[in-house]
Amino acid sequence: MVRIAEHNDWVVYCILGSIFIYIILLSVFQRDSNVKDFLLLKLEDSNNLTPSWLIISIVKCLMTALLLSQFVPIVPKLFSIDVLGFQINKFGFTFLALLSFDVIKNILTFLFYSSIGSGKNLKGLTLVSSKFYFLESIVFIIASFALYFFPVDLVKYFYFIIGMVIFSFFLKNLIYIFHNQSILPEKRYYKFLYICTLQIVPFLVLWKFLFY
């Protein structure tokens, strides 16, 4: 999270590290599955679902931070902490913000599902979200590589990233709503409540936190 020199070696390490982690994920946690097998995996055949979801979520946060950190205006003074001569940079700040929001949102999701008696749907939600975040992070890897290693117009690319993130957000929620598995609460009221309070609101709060 600490960028010592103004080179893009750290970007290469992040991207290659993420790819290597996904190779281990498919080889070890998913028992030598390929990408297609993982994406077509059924709930009853899923193995190591929780650790796989955890790994994918961290990689997704890492790649999202890599993509967005170049456009974050400043690191708030509250987070300008000096530890052994090192200060958190924009990438570290963005990654920690994404990770923290993800942890809080997931805890609230668990409590929400448990409180309304829909805990049985959490496993399906975990599998579907893992598949979606897996694909999303791969797209973000490609987008990050283009951002750091190709001569792109940063202003235009920022608008492209905004469009991509918003499209991804709406696509994810549409998949959640219309998926053939019961991954959301059965009652429409609770579905609406989940989408609004645990999807839309955190997304808007995080965006405001990073860019305003």
Side-chain angles (χ1 to χ4, degrees), residues 142-172:
I142 298 171
S144 296
F145 185 82
L147 173 63
Y148 287 93
F149 296 101
F150 286 89
V152 297
D153 185 314
L154 291 180
V155 175
K156 292 181 180 178
Y157 204 74
F158 178 60
Y159 287 117
F160 167 74
I161 290 172
I162 291 176
M164 183 171 61
V165 170
I166 292 175
F167 173 78
S168 175
F169 175 77
F170 279 105
L171 178 62
K172 178 186 69 174

Side-chain angles (χ1 to χ4, degrees), residues 55-145:
I55 292 170
I56 291 171
S57 296
I58 293 174
V59 172
K60 188 260 298 184
C61 288
L62 182 67
M63 288 299 101
T64 307
L66 195 63
L67 195 60
L68 295 180
S69 60
Q70 291 298 300
F71 306 101
V72 171
I74 59 170
V75 176
K77 292 183 179 180
L78 179 64
F79 297 91
S80 299
I81 304 172
D82 193 314
V83 180
L84 300 176
F86 295 100
Q87 279 191 334
I88 189 170
N89 58 10
K90 290 182 180 180
F91 170 72
F93 165 68
T94 307
F95 176 69
L96 289 177
L98 289 167
L99 196 61
S100 300
F101 270 80
D102 221 27
V103 169
I104 294 171
K105 189 184 75 170
N106 289 325
I107 291 174
L108 292 176
T109 298
F110 174 78
L111 294 175
F112 175 75
Y113 270 70
S114 299
S115 65
I116 63 174
S118 296
K120 61 182 180 180
N121 295 346
L122 271 175
K123 188 175 180 180
L125 179 65
T126 302
L127 179 61
V128 173
S129 63
S130 296
K131 293 178 181 180
F132 184 84
Y133 290 149
F134 181 83
L135 286 178
E136 184 182 50
S137 59
I138 291 176
V139 173
F140 285 176
I141 286 174
I142 298 171
S144 296
F145 185 82

